[in-house]
Amino acid sequence: MSDMQAPTKSCKKSTELVTLDDETLAELIRLHGSYLRGALMKITKGDRARAEDILQETMVRAWQHPEAIASGPEHARPWLFTVARRIAIDHFRMQAARPQTTTDEIPEQRRNGADPYDGVLLAHDMQVALKELQPQQREILVELHMKGRSMAQAAEALGIPVGTVKSRNFYAVRAFRQVLEACGMAYAA
């Protein structure tokens, strides 16, 4: 028998927190900070303090999750926008859960409807998802579903036969659904 023993492995998991390095975090802020701030200003209806809070929390999450930007800071914008969107939703939910203050305003004078930040976030999500499609699929979806054109109008605008529009639309819708599901944005049809 040999006097050497095999090294034993530790069964304990490492509790060391892996974070993003300062240079990469600074690069993220340089590349994407102004875009995020602008979108957050729209979402928060110009509330600069809230937009800055959400932006700061987004960057903290990026710092805590370096694996999310493994492909490089220049490719992190979709992930950062998704994180910022979720944080903004959480902020608005927390605000909605708080007791409402009373006012002298007559209820009929209040604005009804959906929150405007939902539309901004949805438009951004759709723009990101559309970029994943082939150009021909994207242009068909834009013509038919975003511009509201008929098959004949879309065919004329694109300079292709109506049958081609129908075929491309069929495949574009299928591809778009797959992109939405992959991004976790499965919207009701």
Side-chain angles (χ1 to χ4, degrees):
M1 295 261 314
S2 170
D3 291 333
M4 296 184 140
Q5 293 180 342
T8 58
K9 290 185 179 180
S10 173
C11 293
K12 292 183 180 179
K13 289 185 178 180
S14 174
T15 57
E16 185 178 320
L17 179 65
V18 178
T19 58
L20 200 60
D21 61 278
D22 293 343
E23 293 83 26
T24 306
L25 184 61
E27 184 71 3
L28 276 177
I29 294 168
R30 186 187 70 75
L31 290 172
H32 310 295
S34 61
Y35 293 103
L36 282 167
R37 186 177 295 110
L40 291 169
M41 286 294 289
K42 290 177 186 175
I43 291 169
T44 60
K45 299 178 190 171
D47 185 344
R48 186 172 197 81
R50 180 174 284 166
E52 289 293 334
D53 286 346
I54 295 169
L55 177 62
Q56 183 177 3
E57 195 170 336
T58 301
M59 290 304 165
V60 167
R61 299 245 179 112
W63 177 74
Q64 291 172 334
H65 298 282
E67 71 280 0
I69 60 162
S71 60
E74 62 278 358
H75 301 292
R77 190 172 296 170
W79 183 82
L80 290 169
F81 268 95
T82 300
V83 170
R85 174 180 165 253
R86 290 177 180 160
I87 293 169
I89 289 169
D90 289 345
H91 276 246
F92 282 104
R93 284 180 180 158
M94 285 188 294
Q95 182 182 9
R98 293 185 185 128
Q100 298 294 322
T101 58
T102 58
T103 65
D104 293 332
E105 185 179 355
I106 300 170
E108 290 80 28
Q109 293 175 341
R110 292 186 187 171
R111 292 189 330 195
N112 291 332
D115 289 329
Y117 73 93
D118 285 338
V120 172
L121 295 173
L122 178 61
H124 175 265
D125 288 347
M126 290 296 130
Q127 185 179 16
V128 168
L130 280 170
K131 286 181 182 178
E132 297 294 319
L133 296 177
Q134 294 176 3
Q136 291 178 340
Q137 293 174 332
R138 184 173 41 248
E139 67 186 5
I140 286 292
L141 291 179
V142 168
E143 291 295 323
L144 293 175
H145 303 283
M146 295 184 169
K147 292 182 179 178
R149 294 188 173 161
S150 68
M151 294 279 184
Q153 291 169 332
E156 184 178 330
L158 297 172
I160 57 176
V162 174
T164 304
V165 170
K166 289 179 183 180
S167 175
R168 285 185 186 172
N169 181 55
F170 174 79
Y171 291 108
V173 168
R174 287 178 63 186
F176 194 53
R177 279 191 185 132
Q178 290 175 348
V179 168
L180 291 176
E181 288 172 5
C183 294
M185 299 184 289
Y187 292 102

